[in-house]
Each structure stands twice: as C-alpha cells, then as structure tokens.
C-alpha cells in the first residue's frame, strides 16, 4: 500500500499488506475481466489507494515505479 505522508522525504510511505486483500472489490473485478481476455497474462496487485480509499497521481506513479523495480512490468 502506498500512502501520502508529508513526514517522509518523498512524501510517500510504502507499507506491506500482509496478507494482501482487496478492500473494495474493484481489483478482483478488473483481474477477472483481464483474465477472461488474456488468460495467459500474469497479474500482480499494487494498491495505491490509502486506508481512507483516497489517492492521487503521486501514489499511482509510485506504484508503477515500485512494480517496475520488482520486475513485474516488462515488455515481451
């Protein structure tokens, strides 16, 4: 989970969600649609909305950056 935090150097706080959970159900629905269209696709979850279910472009961009660092986003 990536939360806005004005107390940190880059204004973002990264927290693990263990065990991972889909708090709104949206990710599960999107994953189901993607799987039906591309069953061979590998899907990973990166939650960029905070505990109050709000977020913005910084959290989204940080989620993309983090996924790239993990090697989850690549071209085939």
């Amino acid at each position: 989970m990536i939360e806005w935090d004005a107390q940190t150097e880059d204004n973002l706080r990264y927290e693990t969600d263990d065990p991972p959970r889909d708090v709104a159900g949206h990710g599960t629905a999107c994953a189901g649609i993607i799987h039906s269209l591309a069953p061979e696709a590998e899907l990973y979850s990166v939650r960029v909305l905070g505990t109050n279910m709000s977020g913005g472009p910084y959290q989204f961009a940080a989620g993309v950056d983090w996924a790239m660092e993990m090697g989850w986003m690549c071209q085939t």
Side-chain angles (χ1 to χ4, degrees), residues 22 24-32:
D22 183 355
H26 179 75
T28 304
C30 291

Side-chain angles (χ1 to χ4, degrees), residues 7-69:
Q7 304 298 318
T8 63
E9 184 177 332
D10 63 357
N11 294 323
L12 298 169
R13 183 177 66 248
Y14 300 83
E15 295 182 9
T16 58
D17 191 17
D18 195 20
R21 56 197 159 94
D22 183 355
V23 296
H26 179 75
T28 304
C30 291
I33 293 168
I34 293 168
H35 181 69
S36 70
L37 297 172
E40 71 287 349
E42 292 184 32
L43 303 177
Y44 301 91
S45 177
V46 179
R47 186 169 48 171
V48 296
L49 297 179
T51 53
N52 61 358
M53 298 304 290
S54 67
Y58 292 110
Q59 289 93 326
F60 179 79
V64 171
D65 285 343
W66 184 81
M68 291 174 66
E69 288 175 14

